[in-house]
Amino acid sequence: ASIKESENWAVIEISDNGPKITDAQIRAIKELFNSSKKNGLGIGIPITNSIAALHNGKLEFQHRIPTGLTARMLLPLTEE
């Protein structure tokens, strides 16, 4: 995990080395009730995405090579 500043954004990054996921899975990751876990509710990422949006931020996901995923929350350092 890391926290850094990039241009006018505070950037919080978390990466893992889990199994590779498809582009379709990345596109669907923010959908409410979408979970790959057997007993998952599919609300954690949508809630996190809503929190970022309420602060004029955004939540991004990116493949890691060879496997894994990076989740990145960007929050503005200045008010708009």
Side-chain angles (χ1 to χ4, degrees):
S2 69
I3 300 173
K4 59 187 174 186
E5 183 179 332
S6 177
E7 298 179 19
N8 292 325
W9 298 95
V11 182
I12 303 163
E13 280 188 355
I14 299 172
S15 298
D16 70 15
N17 59 354
K20 187 173 184 173
I21 66 172
T22 67
D23 289 337
Q25 288 171 308
I26 286 181
R27 285 191 298 275
I29 205 165
K30 296 180 195 175
E31 293 176 8
L32 189 59
F33 306 123
N34 176 40
S35 179
S36 62
K37 297 178 185 176
K38 181 179 178 184
N39 295 315
L41 297 176
I43 61 172
I45 292 174
I47 288 172
T48 303
N49 189 51
S50 294
I51 292 168
L54 286 171
H55 294 281
N56 298 315
K58 51 191 170 181
L59 190 60
E60 302 175 343
F61 297 90
Q62 181 178 13
H63 290 287
R64 291 189 66 210
I65 296 174
T67 63
L69 188 72
T70 296
R72 185 176 300 113
M73 181 184 282
L74 294 96
L75 298 170
L77 293 173
T78 59
E79 289 188 35
E80 295 182 10

